[in-house]
Amino acid sequence: MNPDVILYNAGNSSHAETLKASGIPSIGFATVGASTEADPLERYEEWLKLLEDVFGEPGKTEAFVAAGDEIVADVEARIADIPESDRPSALILWKYSDGVPQVSGNGTFGTYWMKHLGVTDKALEATGFAQTSMEQVYSWDPDILFLDGPGLQPLRTENVLSGNVDGADFSTLTAVQNGRVYNTTLGMWNWFTPNPDAPLVLAWLACNTYPDAFADYPLGDTIKEYYKTWYGYDVTDDELEEMLLY
């Protein structure tokens, strides 16, 4: 193929050694486990700056980043006005397979989404993307259960709320009893990972976490405008519904 440059996951040390030996310029993009925190809002901006360096186009993403920062600042300002007593607890179910739940524990992308939301993260006592038991999930009993979306697990909100999950009963959880189970979807990529939709993800999380405080937030319009302006793509009403109600 004779590429000019190879982009790879910097966390894969074996790939790094192989690529170094090839003599082809190779650039590692940090995900989890790098020297900086796994904050998805910061990480995608780091990637954009790195791409500017790789392609020799300094400043090309500045307007895009600034637009995202404006969305984030607006969302975080609204959250800051919410009393601590009105802030729920939450848990991110990262994966689920054969009766074994895996949560987004301390140090993962989920940690930093929860920090930006200002909620109590029930999985902080776990480390990394940690396998756990349903008994532990029952003990945590979050007010809100977020499900990681397409690309990492097939569970949908309706599966959990209707009790249609093989090998597990989520029905006793406060989040399920109150109908507060929310699933990420696919935008540019899975929304819980670092991706260029990150500002929209925070807005989506906030709207579901604090429905009263964000009752007037124009989430659908914000998503459509973002995609039209920065990706040159017109999101249809059907596509928007799937993004928001997965």
Side-chain angles (χ1 to χ4, degrees):
M1 293 183 181
N2 193 32
D4 295 315
V5 64
I6 296 174
L7 313 180
Y8 71 96
N9 186 330
N12 193 319
S13 57
S14 62
H15 280 184
E17 291 301 316
T18 300
L19 294 173
K20 182 179 179 180
S22 75
I24 301 171
S26 303
I27 308 297
F29 284 72
T31 55
V32 175
S35 57
T36 55
E37 293 184 333
D39 187 327
L41 288 168
E42 294 181 359
R43 190 55 52 85
Y44 94 99
E45 292 187 6
E46 292 174 353
W47 290 355
L48 292 173
K49 294 301 181 185
L50 186 53
L51 286 170
E52 287 183 354
D53 291 342
V54 171
F55 290 99
E57 298 183 87
K60 185 172 184 177
T61 65
E62 284 183 359
F64 177 48
V65 170
D69 288 347
E70 184 176 346
I71 293 173
V72 171
D74 179 26
V75 171
E76 291 189 329
R78 290 172 180 248
I79 293 174
D81 289 336
I82 297 172
E84 291 293 331
S85 58
D86 293 340
R87 300 186 181 205
S89 63
L91 178 70
I92 297 174
L93 185 64
W94 188 252
K95 290 184 180 180
Y96 176 83
S97 178
D98 299 324
V100 179
Q102 184 178 16
V103 298
S104 182
N106 195 17
T108 63
F109 304 129
T111 300
Y112 298 95
W113 286 127
M114 298 297 98
K115 283 185 177 180
H116 285 289
L117 281 175
V119 299
T120 299
D121 185 358
K122 289 288 190 174
L124 277 183
E125 63 187 72
T127 301
F129 299 111
Q131 288 189 342
T132 186
S133 65
M134 284 304 301
E135 288 71 21
Q136 180 61 71
V137 173
Y138 297 149
S139 176
W140 284 328
D141 192 24
D143 296 318
I144 296 175
L145 180 64
F146 289 112
L147 308 176
D148 196 21
L152 290 174
Q153 75 164 340
L155 276 187
R156 298 182 67 151
T157 298
E158 62 186 35
N159 300 138
V160 175
L161 291 178
S162 66
N164 187 26
V165 179
D166 290 337
D169 179 11
F170 289 89
S171 65
T172 63
L173 294 180
T174 298
V176 175
Q177 293 178 1
N178 292 333
R180 304 204 68 186
V181 178
Y182 308 109
N183 199 353
T184 63
T185 184
L186 283 177
M188 292 301 285
W189 177 231
N190 181 294
W191 269 12
F192 269 138
T193 62
N195 70 90
D197 289 348
L200 302 178
V201 180
L202 180 62
W204 174 83
L205 286 166
C207 286
N208 285 303
T209 302
Y210 305 109
D212 292 337
F214 282 82
D216 64 340
Y217 188 85
L219 182 60
D221 290 343
T222 300
I223 291 173
K224 285 187 173 184
E225 181 181 352
Y226 192 92
Y227 267 63
K228 178 64 175 178
T229 302
W230 303 111
Y231 306 148
Y233 184 80
D234 291 307
V235 176
T236 68
D237 290 341
D238 288 343
E239 288 170 333
L240 182 64
E241 182 179 7
E242 183 177 358
M243 291 174 77
L244 299 181
L245 299 176
Y246 185 81

